[in-house]
Amino acid sequence: MSNSYLRKSLRVLVSGAGIGGPVLAYWLGKAGASVTLLERADRLRKEGQTVDINNEARTIVKWMGVEEAIRKVTTKEAGVKFVDSKNKIWAAFAQSNEGTSPTSEFEIVRGELANVFYEASKYKAEYIFGDSIASIQETETGVQVVFSSKTRQTREYDLIVVAEGLASRTRALAFDEDLRAPIHPLHMWVASFSFEQGESDDQWARMYNAINRRGLLIRPDGFGRVRANAMFIDESGTLQAIAGSRDQDKLKEHFINLFNGAGWETDRIMDGLREADDFYLQEVAQAKCKTWSKGRVVLVGDTAYCPSPLSGMGTTAAIVGSYVLAAKIIKHQHDHRTALTAYEATLRPWIEDIQKIFPGAPQIGLPETQWGIGILRTFLYVLSFVVKSGVFDVLSNIGAFGERFSSSGQKKLKLPDPSVFKRSS
């Protein structure tokens, strides 16, 4: 259906140039809306870990025409090996798109994916870096925004979309609530950073468990570097307090001390952490907002419904959520209330499904004792044998087993047809 009636004055401010923001800007701009994308950082952020693109999101990147650009910068990761302190392989899961491996064909460093979406959307939106929203005031015809920059510039928009991440300041401002109000912590923290590949590194990712709920995951990035994740479960609140200080040096030293004596290649990895200029600390948590909109402000991606990295669906949710929101805005452009209600009604059941994580996670993946690590390695050994033997493929097609364990068991979302974004000639 063609949008010959698109209101030329439809003005949308998107806050956050990560994954969801640029995807939203692309589709709204394609339909002819006037889009401004605001990013607090003074540049496009290249920090972050390796992410993947699943299910409906793959269809959307094809519609955007960026699938080939994404494939060019994927990590080409062959799979994941689970190793012990002597680098003995206990289990290995080769790349798969069937849900039997942590690695898919669309593994990509988050910053590289953000850049692909930026390149696709930069001519469809006005990008403003190094600024943020200071205040929001709704009027009868729109919403007035005062920017945080020294000029304190004021602009008026029809809608504001917040795509900032889990701990969004703008969400707290717009909803008049505490920054952590919708955040459900899982008490796990991940320090992400990169360093140059060494002799022991290849195209396989390697995961190592150490006692006291510590873990190290190192992955190739496709550009001669290793993307490392140092993981730790902290139920004491210590890391939460240190993270609040935003002192990078203090955070680095905390992790270096935390992993002291952990064995394996820890010393080499901690040396990489010490020298890293792309160190990034992420809290593993979920966002569960009671509603995704208030007035003319709407949330998308991690800001609204972060499923956590444990789900493997955070990037997919951001892409899919942004596409669905854009479609509803364009379809109901003269009635923002109907548009935002339709967005949430369409997406929430799917989001609630992907937010379900394995019982006992993340503690089950980062055991406290050596005995617990031994049980985990044995389980993974058996699981990898089942996957390699093909038994999993057979069982995944049988009734309840398939619904519970195969990738096809996840709820499917019917995406709006991309023709909604076509402009009349």
Side-chain angles (χ1 to χ4, degrees):
M1 150 177 125
S2 177
N3 287 291
S4 58
Y5 57 92
L6 181 63
R7 193 175 73 200
K8 293 181 179 179
S9 62
L10 183 63
R11 303 153 301 171
V12 182
L13 175 65
V14 183
S15 182
I19 302 299
V23 171
L24 183 76
Y26 172 89
W27 289 106
L28 290 178
K30 182 179 177 66
S34 175
V35 184
T36 300
L37 205 151
L38 193 66
E39 169 55 47
R40 185 183 303 272
D42 59 6
R43 57 176 176 81
L44 203 63
R45 295 180 177 179
K46 290 296 184 99
E47 300 87 351
Q49 57 189 328
T50 302
V51 299
D52 53 20
I53 305 170
N54 296 303
N55 306 340
E56 291 86 352
R58 296 184 185 180
T59 300
I60 294 168
V61 300
K62 288 181 181 178
W63 289 343
M64 293 176 69
V66 297
E67 182 181 10
E68 187 57 35
I70 290 173
R71 288 185 183 277
K72 287 180 179 179
V73 290
T74 55
T75 65
K76 312 300 187 296
E77 184 175 289
V80 179
K81 296 175 180 177
F82 291 81
V83 301
D84 61 18
S85 60
K86 296 181 180 179
N87 216 33
K88 175 185 175 181
I89 301 169
W90 283 79
F93 298 88
Q95 181 192 106
S96 170
N97 294 325
E98 304 303 319
T100 58
S101 171
T103 302
S104 77
E105 65 175 318
F106 283 102
E107 296 295 330
I108 182 172
V109 174
R110 179 195 171 280
E112 295 294 336
L113 182 59
N115 187 63
V116 169
F117 289 142
Y118 166 73
E119 291 293 330
S121 62
K122 66 182 181 181
Y123 297 116
K124 291 180 170 61
E126 174 195 14
Y127 271 80
I128 300 176
F129 289 95
D131 211 342
S132 59
I133 296 173
S135 69
I136 298 169
Q137 180 65 50
E138 285 209 32
T139 67
E140 291 184 3
T141 58
V143 55
Q144 286 190 341
V145 175
V146 177
F147 288 9
S148 298
S149 56
K150 293 180 180 180
T151 61
R152 303 289 288 181
Q153 182 182 10
T154 300
R155 292 191 185 184
E156 184 167 308
Y157 299 91
D158 297 300
L159 284 173
I160 298 176
V161 182
V162 186
E164 295 180 347
L166 179 67
S168 168
R169 300 179 196 176
T170 307
R171 179 189 62 211
L173 173 68
F175 283 64
D176 191 24
E177 63 182 12
D178 184 80
L179 187 72
R180 297 189 60 81
I183 297 177
H184 289 238
L186 296 173
H187 306 294
M188 178 177 170
W189 294 80
V190 180
S192 299
F193 51 98
S194 68
F195 52 88
E196 289 187 9
Q197 283 186 324
E199 293 182 1
S200 61
D201 301 313
D202 56 21
Q203 286 307 109
W204 281 81
R206 288 180 292 156
M207 173 70 193
Y208 170 72
N209 284 90
I211 60 171
N212 298 323
R213 302 201 181 281
R214 296 172 294 174
L216 292 168
L217 174 64
I218 56 175
R219 315 180 74 169
D221 72 354
F223 298 95
R225 295 182 67 80
V226 170
R227 295 283 167 166
N229 292 330
M231 298 166 280
F232 177 62
I233 291 178
D234 175 28
E235 298 181 353
S236 69
T238 300
L239 259 174
Q240 181 74 61
I242 299 175
S245 71
R246 297 181 179 275
D247 187 328
Q248 293 285 80
D249 291 335
K250 189 174 182 180
L251 283 169
K252 283 186 176 184
E253 286 305 313
H254 183 83
F255 269 87
I256 290 169
N257 292 332
L258 190 65
F259 280 83
N260 184 38
W264 189 49
E265 299 181 15
T266 300
D267 290 345
R268 176 178 79 102
I269 295 170
M270 290 300 110
D271 285 343
L273 184 153
R274 182 178 285 106
E275 300 300 324
D277 59 4
D278 57 356
F279 174 86
Y280 176 78
L281 181 64
Q282 178 182 17
E283 178 183 8
V284 176
Q286 294 186 323
K288 295 187 176 182
C289 298
K290 294 178 180 178
T291 180
W292 298 343
S293 64
K294 182 180 180 181
R296 291 177 179 269
V297 179
V298 60
L299 314 176
V300 73
D302 281 357
T303 303
Y305 36 76
C306 175
S308 90
L310 299 179
S311 71
M313 291 291 285
T315 300
T316 294
I319 294 170
V320 172
S322 295
Y323 177 82
V324 172
L325 175 58
K328 299 304 179 182
I329 289 173
I330 296 303
K331 183 177 180 180
H332 304 286
Q333 62 199 262
H334 299 294
D335 184 352
H336 70 275
R337 293 181 182 85
T338 298
L340 303 187
T341 298
Y343 157 62
E344 187 162 347
T346 299
L347 201 63
R348 188 175 278 275
W350 183 80
I351 289 295
E352 290 178 349
D353 186 51
I354 67 172
Q355 283 191 322
K356 296 174 183 176
I357 58 176
F358 197 85
Q363 286 79 3
I364 195 172
L366 293 174
E368 176 76 26
T369 65
Q370 196 63 48
W371 181 77
I373 292 173
I375 292 176
L376 175 64
R377 287 174 178 162
T378 302
F379 169 76
L380 291 170
Y381 170 80
V382 173
L383 182 60
S384 65
F385 175 79
V386 171
V387 170
K388 289 176 184 177
S389 68
V391 174
F392 186 93
D393 292 335
V394 174
L395 291 176
S396 65
N397 292 316
I398 301 177
F401 185 96
E403 292 179 5
R404 176 65 183 86
F405 291 99
S406 74
S407 58
S408 62
Q410 193 172 77
K411 284 184 179 179
K412 300 299 181 183
L413 177 68
K414 184 178 181 180
L415 296 172
D417 193 277
S419 62
V420 73
F421 300 103
K422 290 182 180 178
R423 285 188 274 182
S424 61
S425 55

